[in-house]
Amino acid sequence: MSGTADLFAMERLDDDYSAERTSNKALAEMYQAVPNEIKTKIVFHAAFEQCLDNELPVNLALVCTDWFKIIQDQMQVGQPCFKAWYGAIGHEDIYETFLKGVLLYRPIPNSDEGMIKLNISDLKDTSPEGTPYKLLKKNPLEGIFDLPTCGDAGKYLVISTGYRKGINPDNKGKAEVWISPRFMIEKKIANAHHFKEIVGNWDEKVAPLGVFYTWSADTNEYFDYCTSKDLNVISKNDLYTIWGDESACRIEELCGACSAMRGRGGRTYYFTFHFEPK
């Protein structure tokens, strides 16, 4: 379909629906008479409300090419629908701080020699490029860091933003580290049941970001986490130190992350997240 009239132009062939066809044509004519600026606002507000309700507005984007373009533009990083989808509205300060954050790789621990900076803002979403009607073109809140330039760490580690949704076969045999703003976990808690028992004790004013550790083969329920330290602590300590000194494991005897971090997953000591609070 193409053009904004597509929504109203689809007619039933049965003559019993002639009145409905006439009504659709009338709606199409009325819609076409609306100024383009108003059309854009109508589509935007409908998409925005769906994002607030945790419903990605794919249904609206599929109406026609004009609507798809409007919604796709609104789902770009920093746009209102993008913020509504991830729960950033009302948390703009930490949202901006998070997007400006970097992951530092130090091949020589405690030294800046040979250091590599990986910007959170450069992360893209992980959906296949050929995905039809792709609304989230660039997604620093749910991205995966490119580690091939970071020694052999990529063989044993996957470091991502966002939260874990399930076992990913691509990560087989690796430790996984995730960092996420609390506002995002709170917004997506309906789809992230494994965080329900910790989010209540997670004080956003003290620790606006959380760091999570898991093993690729473990289910979502098994993970270590740090949700009690401020941005200064996170920025001053490598990921291994945060895990060893600051994290809390709920089921240590069964948690693959504990074994992984003591083994090759210990390469997290090469990595540090750095944030500059506003």
Side-chain angles (χ1 to χ4, degrees), residues 85-100:
W85 174 247
Y86 286 109
I89 294 176
H91 306 274
E92 280 77 10
D93 282 355
I94 188 58
Y95 166 78
E96 295 293 341
T97 296
F98 186 78
L99 261 61
K100 293 176 182 177

Side-chain angles (χ1 to χ4, degrees), residues 7-8 31 37-63 66-68 70-72 74-75 80-82 84-85 135 187:
L7 173 64
F8 307 104
Y31 183 79
E37 181 181 352
I38 303 301
K39 291 178 185 176
T40 299
K41 288 183 178 180
I42 292 172
V43 177
F44 158 67
H45 282 293
F48 183 79
E49 290 298 323
Q50 286 196 194
C51 288
L52 286 177
D53 291 337
N54 261 340
E55 183 180 353
L56 195 65
V58 175
N59 59 324
L60 298 176
L62 290 174
V63 167
D66 287 352
W67 285 29
F68 174 77
I70 292 170
I71 295 172
Q72 187 181 62
Q74 283 295 327
M75 293 302 296
C81 285
F82 181 90
W85 174 247
L135 295 181
K187 180 68 160 60

Side-chain angles (χ1 to χ4, degrees), residues 98-147:
F98 186 78
L99 261 61
K100 293 176 182 177
V102 296
L103 176 65
L104 304 177
Y105 168 71
R106 290 186 172 95
I108 304 174
N110 301 316
S111 171
D112 289 345
E113 183 179 349
M115 182 175 67
I116 295 174
K117 293 183 179 181
L118 303 173
N119 298 318
I120 289 178
S121 61
D122 291 337
L123 297 179
K124 296 182 179 180
D125 69 27
T126 57
S127 301
E129 287 299 322
T131 301
Y133 300 102
K134 185 177 178 182
L135 295 181
L136 294 171
K137 281 189 174 181
K138 193 174 184 181
N139 193 353
L141 291 181
E142 288 190 285
I144 300 176
F145 288 96
D146 188 13
L147 302 184

Side-chain angles (χ1 to χ4, degrees), residues 216-233:
S216 57
D218 282 351
T219 58
N220 287 344
E221 289 72 25
Y222 300 102
F223 62 92
D224 293 359
Y225 63 95
C226 175
T227 55
S228 60
K229 303 304 176 183
D230 61 29
L231 297 182
N232 288 326
V233 172

